[in-house]
Amino acid sequence: MRLMMVLLLAAAIAIAGLLWYAATLNDDLAQQTRINGTLAAGIESRDTAIARLQHEALDQAQAELALRQSLTAAGRLAQNREQRIQGLLNENQTLRNWYDTALPDAAIRLHQRPAFASAADYLRWLSESEPLPNAGQPAKK
């Protein structure tokens, strides 16, 4: 009977130890589940950011392609325009004489401007500039 009591007490201690161990494992499992949820949220956030950046990169690549095509088309138009002007100049003496004459001083001043550091500098320069002469009146000399 004594042996039975000792065995029963040993079994009760073993069961209590196993219950304690199971509770500890349960706490560890809950903690690992929380960590796993946090990591999963971080990975999802990272994946969303990567997808957004890839989409933006694709948009920028398409915009760059459109700009390059636009630039190529503009270059072709400028080249065609220059060839047309040269053709007209070569075949028309009156036009060639007009093309070789100097621009009026007012028109030359339109092409002259200093370098500007800001938009405010440009506006200040623009308001201080001399007004253009009336097109209906002869230019002053």
Side-chain angles (χ1 to χ4, degrees):
M1 181 90 173
R2 214 175 215 206
L3 182 59
M4 190 69 110
M5 287 295 256
V6 170
L7 285 177
L8 192 57
L9 184 59
I13 291 173
I15 289 174
L18 286 175
L19 287 175
W20 175 79
Y21 184 67
T24 304
L25 287 178
N26 194 23
D27 290 344
D28 286 348
L29 178 62
Q31 182 181 4
Q32 294 303 321
T33 302
R34 283 191 303 273
I35 291 172
N36 189 23
T38 302
L39 292 175
I43 289 171
E44 184 178 340
S45 173
R46 182 208 60 196
D47 290 347
T48 302
I50 288 172
R52 182 178 45 82
L53 290 172
Q54 286 174 335
H55 182 68
E56 288 176 6
L58 180 62
D59 288 348
Q60 287 179 351
Q62 289 172 345
E64 180 183 358
L65 178 62
L67 285 173
R68 287 185 187 280
Q69 290 171 343
S70 220
L71 180 62
T72 301
R76 259 189 262 116
L77 282 173
Q79 185 179 16
N80 290 344
R81 190 176 307 116
E82 184 62 32
Q83 288 172 352
R84 174 106 171 108
I85 290 170
Q86 284 301 319
L88 291 171
L89 288 174
N90 290 339
E91 64 188 40
N92 188 336
Q93 180 63 38
T94 306
L95 183 61
R96 201 170 27 246
N97 291 340
W98 173 83
Y99 186 79
D100 289 336
T101 59
L103 290 173
D105 289 339
I108 292 172
R109 280 196 316 271
L110 285 174
H111 293 280
Q112 297 172 342
R113 61 179 170 183
F116 303 108
S118 69
D121 291 343
Y122 173 74
L123 290 174
R124 189 177 313 104
W125 172 80
L126 196 58
S127 65
E128 293 170 355
S129 298
E130 297 176 25
L132 293 175
N134 186 344
Q137 297 176 351
K140 297 178 185 177
K141 292 189 178 189

